[in-house]
Amino acid sequence: MSELTRAIQETAQKLLQNKEVELVVGFAEGSLPLRNTPCFVRQPEEAQRLVWGYGCENNLANYLRQRPEKVAVVAKGCDSRSIVELIKENQIDRNKLVVIGVPCRGMIDRKKVTRLLAGKELLEAEIRDGQVVLKGKEFSESVPLEQLLHDTCLTCQHPNPVLFDIMMGEPVPVKEADSFVDVANFEVKAPAEKRAYLIQELSRCIRCYACRQACPMCFCEECFVDCSMPQWLSKSSLNVQDNVFFQAVRALHLAGRCVDCGACDRACPMGIDLRTLTRKMVKDVQELFGYTAGVSLDQKPPLAAPINTTSPATFNQDGR
Amino acid sequence: MLLNKGQLTDWLNQLMQAYQVFAPIKEGDYFCFKQINSGDQATLNYTNSKVPPKEVLFPRSEKLFCYRCENDGVQLTEQIDESKKIIVGLRPCDAKSFLLLDGVFKSDKYHDPYYLTRRNNTVLVGLGCNQPASTCFCTSLGGGPFATEGLDLLLVDIGDRYVVEVLTDRGRELLAGMELPAADQEAKETARRVKEGAALSTQVNLEGLKSKLDVIFYDPIWDLIHEKCLGCAACTYTCPTCHCFDIVDEAEGNEGCRIRNWDACMFPLFTLHGSGHNPRPTGKERFRQRVMHKFKYFVDNFNAIACVGCGRCIINCPVNLDIREVLAEIQGSEVRSDKQ
Amino acid sequence: MKNPYLPLPMRLVKNFVETEDKLIHTFTLEFLNEEDEKSFQYLPGQFAEVSVFGVGEAPFGIASSPTEPGHLKFSVAKVGVVTTTLHQLPEGTILGVRGPLGNNYPIEEFKGKNLVVIGGGFAFTTLRSLITYILHPDHRGDYGELTVIYGARNPGLLLYKDELAEWEKRSDINLICTIDRPVEGWNGRVGFVPAVTKEVAPSAENAYAVICGPPVMIKFTMPVLEELGFSPERIIMSLENRMKCGIGMCGRCNVGNKYVCKDGPVFTRAQLNQLPNEY
């Protein structure tokens, strides 16, 4: 890890020194254990703030849309896939972006840590030889790293950036194909059961929209939840069904664009399971269109293809 | 007074006959204040709730009134919640937040009957913090793990029992019928040691912050300080002192309700004019507003900082934008005369 | 203390298309209950929250004057969901009104002084209230000279055309209307408000200026007023930040530590100079 940190710092410093970019977006040390935080570096001497660790969980593609200046970004596999989709959607100008690719071994899910510690507070952590040593007041326990990684990381098929200009370190091995067993388990449930599950999860939603804001692909100028003419759904949370509706439509908007980076799920302060919906969408798009978002710049997004409106089978004259 | 932990359930069950009782209960991985219908649901061995108990007095969504339009007029029905409530197990920082919210909802000219009615009908039973979290900084804001400000009773956990500190008559009434023994010397001594042991690891330097903020509005520091902020409301909705709201109508046919929902200064729509003009058009202005509101404007208007140091915004920020670091950065910036 | 969120029921008695582009309508509302009318004591400059039941409420400056009892008038531009619905409402509809809210123009301070009222576009509503109030026989004697400079893009966009015509005829008000570009049939002045103000050059001596209009008009008129010698304490403005509660609680309309709804909407230039530029 420290080697990657050093490589990132040197690369960033050079890019800034040579004025190849005006800004490097990467990660710095965070203020909490096992946490790194997005960091914006503009001066070569500030490049030493950049680090790489197991807490670089944010998707930095979120900061790259419509930027006026030339930017370099530290990108792991999922960030790079979002970048690919954003380039296709004309949100990022490829010519103004330098991708510093970093092979990713997965990021630590602090919710899993919280669950494991069952009320004890994590004050310090150390990662060595595939083990995470969790320390707090009067305790220290060692847990296999694999047990603490985000679920997204456990099924991730693209830990190595799919798009990069400069690569840091050596590629990491790719896991077995994602079997989507979690989605399959959800799919076999009866409709009432699925509904009950979503209602139960989304009853906790406080409509803070952290999920939407954390998603690199949620960039609609006016989000449908904010529309007042027409108002698609209630702005209050008196009725949980509106929260479900919000997430369902959000997931649908992301069909063929979601790279399953898990940013929405990680951002949710209420710990709501948002990935069941987005993963279902990812699986459907793969099955129906043979499309995996964010792996190729050349492949057209399936739902961006023009719809044949003259086909009478699809639309009648009223447009229905 | 002394309350055996084994008596807690009975006590809450007894209180439930006359009051709605709200207590921390586990939801998913977190704790939230919810109305309980059995004393054993309350879980008092928790650090702090995900959403502050402000939601008991100022819910995420609430009906202000319902209406029915008729040919010759309109029938309005106020929806004021007059039920008597107890919040059990809230932390001293959250109790302090109610004192700050009181100022907002009660001005010389206007009283907000929804908040104030609930407030007046709610008794607060606090729980001291034997082990404050590393993100807690209440002492920097004049609070403390065992501060009693705003509380009616304070429970001090001394192992198998609680020392109950009676702070108001309303608090005393809750104990009627329990025939609790007075705290003995040993219990008092244990409580004293527990309090001493509850040291905070975090201090935030607020000295001189206000005078700095007075002249820093146009400082370039704001261009950078907000940069990683995503513009969500995780910080404001989990903040015990944030109180901004929106008012909307929900109706079907000629009947409907006027509802108020939490709203947040971090959203662009919050200040967007009908004309399209927005006085706070980017994340920079919105983030500045959040800091300024808590640490300057509120001080100007109420002579108090609108932060109780609960640390929720630190824990819940999806990008680890830490208010302690923001304040330190402002403190460390050069003072310059404020010019546009 | 009464519940400040409950609207008083009123009947829409007139939905009048005010401007040529049909984007501004003037609504006349009558109280359903006599006691409500008595309790609704307002002064020029104040605003109210108007409810369209089922759609929502929005704040508007009160365009009528307390010297016109029996009704309230609001001139409303079609911009959002409440205003769009309002524009389509048939006369007779029951609406709700909360208020009066906010502060008023300092009419007590104005007494014995000359007044220069400057308005632009559809931000003339509370200025109409002020002018109507001053022109009332009970009040006219309390004030000195009254100069009104009112500009719009073209004649069709001027509000209250009938009243402007009446004021034109009066000798106790000096009304100067102007439009941005010459139009056939317009005999009045042509030019932007700041330039016209400079030409007319009302004296600042013993005078107050009251100015309402689009930001760009205010921006360029301000130096003219300063040049004429109006001190910041004697330039009165009305702000229009987005509002919801109207009573200083919902937290969105603040400019620095002041709430436009509660501490304003009327501020002096001197007060605004002390506040950040978030309006």
Side-chain angles (χ1 to χ4, degrees):
Chain A
M1 276 291 168
S2 61
E3 280 161 42
L4 283 174
T5 293
R6 211 170 309 125
I8 291 169
Q9 290 179 353
E10 280 168 17
T11 308
Q13 190 174 11
K14 253 185 237 153
L15 287 168
L16 290 166
Q17 246 158 13
N18 301 341
K19 308 222 183 296
E20 285 173 68
V21 297
E22 288 169 56
L23 167 69
V24 180
V25 184
F27 288 96
E29 283 300 346
S31 69
L32 301 170
L34 294 177
R35 188 67 168 107
N36 298 102
T37 183
C39 170
F40 296 69
V41 174
R42 290 188 172 79
Q43 303 302 327
E45 58 274 17
E46 281 178 6
Q48 57 196 0
R49 284 171 57 207
L50 295 169
V51 297
W52 188 252
Y54 283 100
C56 298
E57 62 166 47
N58 297 111
N59 188 333
L60 298 183
N62 210 8
Y63 297 111
L64 304 177
R65 292 185 305 263
Q66 314 275 0
R67 284 208 89 104
E69 73 273 58
K70 227 182 153 188
V71 183
V73 63
V74 175
K76 49 193 180 292
C78 48
D79 304 42
S80 76
R81 291 176 63 196
S82 298
I83 291 169
V84 166
E85 286 303 315
L86 287 170
I87 291 171
K88 287 197 250 186
E89 296 191 19
N90 290 323
Q91 294 300 310
I92 293 178
D93 181 348
R94 181 69 184 95
N95 300 318
K96 290 203 292 189
L97 183 71
V98 176
V99 180
I100 306 171
V102 187
C104 174
R105 293 179 180 276
M107 293 296 150
I108 288 179
D109 184 343
R110 283 165 305 113
K111 283 174 193 159
K112 286 188 182 173
V113 176
T114 307
R115 217 168 295 154
L116 191 91
L117 294 178
K120 290 176 288 183
E121 194 192 12
L122 177 72
L123 296 177
E124 219 186 309
E126 239 178 283
I127 303 165
R128 239 181 296 138
D129 311 326
Q131 293 283 313
V132 187
V133 185
L134 304 169
K135 296 178 197 166
K137 207 175 170 189
E138 289 155 11
F139 76 87
S140 171
E141 36 188 294
S142 186
V143 188
L145 174 62
E146 191 82 358
Q147 253 184 49
L148 296 179
L149 294 183
H150 279 288
D151 288 345
T152 41
C153 306
L154 296 176
T155 53
C156 173
Q157 298 297 295
H158 300 275
N160 300 303
V162 296
L163 177 78
F164 59 87
D165 298 293
I166 314 162
M167 182 65 108
M168 305 289 103
E170 295 302 314
V172 297
V174 177
K175 292 187 191 71
E176 272 174 49
D178 185 357
S179 61
F180 285 96
V181 62
D182 51 332
V183 182
N185 286 340
F186 183 72
E187 283 170 341
V188 296
K189 287 182 183 175
E193 221 181 321
K194 288 181 192 165
R195 193 181 169 76
Y197 176 71
L198 292 175
I199 296 249
Q200 176 209 315
E201 282 295 303
L202 286 155
S203 65
R204 299 202 300 277
C205 174
I206 53 172
R207 296 276 196 102
C208 69
Y209 301 127
C211 49
R212 175 184 78 186
Q213 299 305 106
C215 175
M217 305 311 295
C218 262
F219 58 78
C220 288
E221 213 157 284
E222 190 182 19
C223 176
F224 77 103
V225 278
D226 291 331
C227 287
S228 50
M229 285 190 292
Q231 188 174 317
W232 301 105
L233 78 162
S234 161
K235 298 187 196 309
S236 80
S237 55
L238 292 174
N239 191 342
V240 182
Q241 307 218 17
D242 280 309
N243 297 346
V244 179
F245 180 50
F246 160 55
Q247 276 310 331
V249 175
R250 204 184 74 83
L252 281 164
H253 272 192
L254 294 166
R257 310 164 69 224
C258 171
V259 303
D260 193 20
C261 70
C264 52
D265 201 81
R266 292 169 198 183
C268 179
M270 304 308 288
I272 298 168
D273 166 20
L274 299 174
R275 271 185 80 228
T276 294
L277 278 179
T278 53
R279 289 262 295 165
K280 164 79 175 127
M281 222 54 242
V282 167
K283 179 169 176 268
D284 283 357
V285 169
Q286 278 183 5
E287 287 172 358
L288 294 169
F289 302 97
Y291 185 81
T292 304
V295 291
S296 145
L297 273 174
D298 308 320
Q299 211 183 347
K300 268 203 168 141
L303 296 172
I307 295 166
N308 183 1
T309 49
T310 54
S311 159
T314 320
F315 287 99
N316 67 14
Q317 274 192 321
D318 302 332
R320 272 178 305 195
Chain B
M1 307 253 208
L2 276 173
L3 178 74
N4 275 318
K5 282 192 178 172
Q7 289 174 286
L8 182 72
T9 302
D10 285 346
W11 182 44
L12 296 180
N13 283 335
Q14 188 189 312
L15 295 175
M16 245 172 268
Q17 291 170 11
Y19 296 88
Q20 293 180 348
V21 177
F22 291 79
I25 61 167
K26 199 159 191 229
E27 273 209 336
D29 290 334
Y30 312 107
F31 292 90
C32 279
F33 281 87
K34 290 278 141 76
Q35 188 178 351
I36 56 172
N37 45 39
S38 161
D40 53 12
Q41 290 172 321
T43 315
L44 295 193
N45 61 339
Y46 79 119
T47 306
N48 211 348
S49 62
K50 180 56 89 167
V51 178
K54 79 170 176 190
E55 67 175 333
V56 176
L57 305 190
F58 174 49
R60 147 82 190 120
S61 290
E62 71 175 310
K63 290 178 183 173
L64 299 179
F65 57 84
C66 291
Y67 52 84
R68 195 190 150 79
C69 295
E70 288 153 358
N71 277 344
D72 238 14
V74 57
Q75 289 295 325
L76 300 184
T77 324
E78 264 183 299
Q79 302 282 314
I80 291 181
D81 171 8
E82 294 185 279
S83 54
K84 291 169 75 181
K85 299 179 202 303
I86 301 174
I87 304 178
V88 174
L90 80 163
R91 296 298 184 181
C93 55
D94 289 337
K96 189 181 173 195
S97 78
F98 291 144
L99 299 174
L100 297 166
L101 292 175
D102 289 349
V104 173
F105 288 116
K106 188 178 181 178
S107 69
D108 300 345
K109 221 172 150 191
Y110 302 108
H111 287 187
D112 184 294
Y114 304 96
Y115 171 86
L116 291 174
T117 306
R118 286 201 192 91
R119 176 81 165 106
N120 291 335
N121 288 330
T122 302
V123 191
L124 301 179
V125 181
L127 175 65
C129 306
N130 293 22
Q131 266 196 48
S134 62
T135 42
C136 293
F137 56 104
C138 57
T139 50
S140 304
L141 289 138
F146 294 89
T148 54
E149 206 184 357
L151 288 169
D152 297 295
L153 291 176
L154 175 71
L155 306 181
V156 182
D157 184 341
I158 55 164
D160 52 353
R161 295 174 296 175
Y162 295 108
V163 171
V164 185
E165 294 181 18
V166 179
L167 303 160
T168 65
D169 288 342
R170 290 214 301 186
R172 191 185 313 278
E173 274 169 37
L174 298 187
L175 298 172
M178 284 300 287
E179 289 169 20
L180 298 181
D184 51 51
Q185 207 50 44
E186 187 203 332
K188 280 183 188 165
E189 181 56 27
T190 315
R192 194 187 59 78
R193 262 185 284 122
V194 162
K195 288 185 182 182
E196 270 177 16
L200 267 79
S201 53
T202 299
Q203 289 293 321
V204 174
N205 176 18
L206 298 167
E207 210 186 307
L209 177 71
K210 169 67 168 60
S211 50
K212 205 144 211 177
L213 289 173
D214 282 342
V215 293
I216 211 175
F217 188 87
Y218 297 107
D219 195 283
I221 195 170
W222 303 109
D223 292 328
L224 303 177
I225 221 162
H226 76 97
E227 225 170 358
K228 63 184 167 189
C229 174
L230 298 174
C232 75
C235 54
T236 61
Y237 284 5
T238 60
C239 173
T241 69
C242 275
H243 60 267
C244 292
F245 59 84
D246 189 15
I247 301 176
V248 297
D249 276 28
E250 277 181 16
E252 233 172 277
N254 57 352
E255 282 180 59
C257 293
R258 184 150 296 163
I259 292 164
R260 82 161 149 206
N261 299 315
W262 288 354
D263 204 348
C265 57
M266 307 310 290
F267 296 143
L269 280 185
F270 190 64
T271 49
L272 182 69
H273 291 197
S275 65
H277 169 66
N278 196 338
R280 298 203 273 268
T282 73
K284 168 187 156 179
E285 293 85 11
R286 299 193 277 271
F287 191 78
R288 177 174 58 194
Q289 161 67 17
R290 179 167 153 78
V291 175
M292 284 288 194
H293 186 203
K294 293 196 168 300
F295 297 94
K296 170 175 156 56
Y297 305 152
F298 209 88
V299 181
D300 287 336
N301 291 329
F302 299 104
N303 199 25
I305 290 176
C307 169
V308 294
C310 71
R312 286 188 182 88
C313 58
I314 301 169
I315 296 165
N316 292 317
C317 177
V319 294
N320 188 221
L321 178 47
D322 189 320
I323 189 72
R324 296 171 297 182
E325 295 183 341
V326 169
L327 295 176
E329 217 164 309
I330 292 169
Q331 289 282 34
S333 70
E334 267 173 66
V335 179
R336 54 182 85 214
S337 63
D338 212 352
K339 279 228 178 73
Q340 207 169 330
Chain C
M1 212 174 266
K2 67 175 197 199
N3 185 340
Y5 295 98
L6 293 184
L8 307 171
M10 293 191 81
R11 190 187 306 280
L12 174 63
V13 295
K14 195 167 187 191
N15 178 345
F16 176 72
V17 182
E18 190 71 55
T19 54
E20 198 176 76
D21 63 5
K22 301 187 174 67
L23 292 178
I24 316 271
H25 287 202
T26 294
F27 301 92
T28 308
L29 280 65
E30 282 177 8
F31 287 97
L32 288 192
N33 307 317
E34 217 173 297
E35 62 270 29
D36 290 346
E37 187 181 345
K38 278 189 198 126
S39 75
F40 198 98
Q41 295 292 324
Y42 70 101
L43 288 170
Q46 289 192 282
F47 70 98
E49 291 274 354
V50 177
S51 289
V52 181
F53 291 109
V55 182
E57 60 178 5
F60 307 114
I62 305 172
S64 51
S65 154
T67 53
E68 303 168 301
H71 68 268
L72 298 177
K73 248 192 226 291
F74 302 95
S75 296
V76 176
K78 190 165 129 180
V79 284
V81 55
V82 174
T83 55
T84 302
T85 314
L86 202 50
H87 272 228
Q88 293 158 355
L89 289 181
E91 289 166 2
T93 307
I94 303 299
L95 298 170
V97 169
R98 276 197 301 130
L101 300 166
N103 63 357
N104 49 274
Y105 292 120
I107 45 173
E108 284 303 313
E109 253 181 86
F110 289 168
K111 280 186 178 168
K113 308 285 194 307
N114 299 326
L115 273 188
V116 181
V117 176
I118 301 170
F122 67 88
F124 197 67
T125 59
T126 56
L127 295 181
R128 179 206 174 271
S129 174
L130 176 67
I131 295 163
T132 308
Y133 181 91
I134 290 172
L135 289 179
H136 190 268
D138 288 353
H139 302 136
R140 188 62 192 95
D142 294 340
Y143 302 92
E145 279 174 34
L146 176 61
T147 308
V148 177
I149 300 169
Y150 179 29
R153 274 212 311 279
N154 60 57
L157 297 183
L158 290 166
L159 306 186
Y160 318 123
K161 290 180 232 2
D162 291 350
E163 279 162 291
L164 293 176
E166 275 174 42
W167 294 347
E168 197 90 277
K169 291 179 207 148
R170 294 174 69 135
S171 58
D172 57 355
I173 168 172
N174 178 19
L175 176 68
I176 298 120
C177 287
T178 177
I179 59 167
D180 291 355
R181 264 176 289 277
V183 172
E184 217 168 299
W186 175 257
N187 301 320
R189 278 177 195 259
V190 175
F192 294 112
V193 165
V196 172
T197 308
K198 201 169 178 166
E199 273 170 44
V200 175
S203 165
E205 197 159 326
N206 195 35
Y208 274 84
V210 185
I211 177 163
C212 282
V216 59
M217 181 201 99
I218 295 193
K219 188 178 162 198
F220 289 106
T221 309
M222 220 36 87
V224 177
L225 290 177
E226 276 158 25
E227 213 171 290
L228 289 169
F230 286 90
S231 69
E233 290 74 20
R234 289 198 169 187
I235 300 176
I236 311 293
M237 297 163 73
S238 182
L239 297 190
E240 281 200 337
N241 271 10
R242 183 175 180 143
M243 297 172 190
K244 280 286 171 178
C245 72
I247 55 178
M249 294 175 188
C250 81
R252 75 198 58 232
C253 71
N254 71 299
V255 179
N257 58 17
K258 299 280 184 236
Y259 286 96
V260 173
C261 67
K262 186 166 66 84
D263 304 305
V266 177
F267 293 93
T268 66
R269 180 79 185 148
Q271 285 170 318
L272 292 180
N273 284 344
Q274 300 299 312
L275 296 174
N277 64 347
E278 281 188 343
Y279 47 88

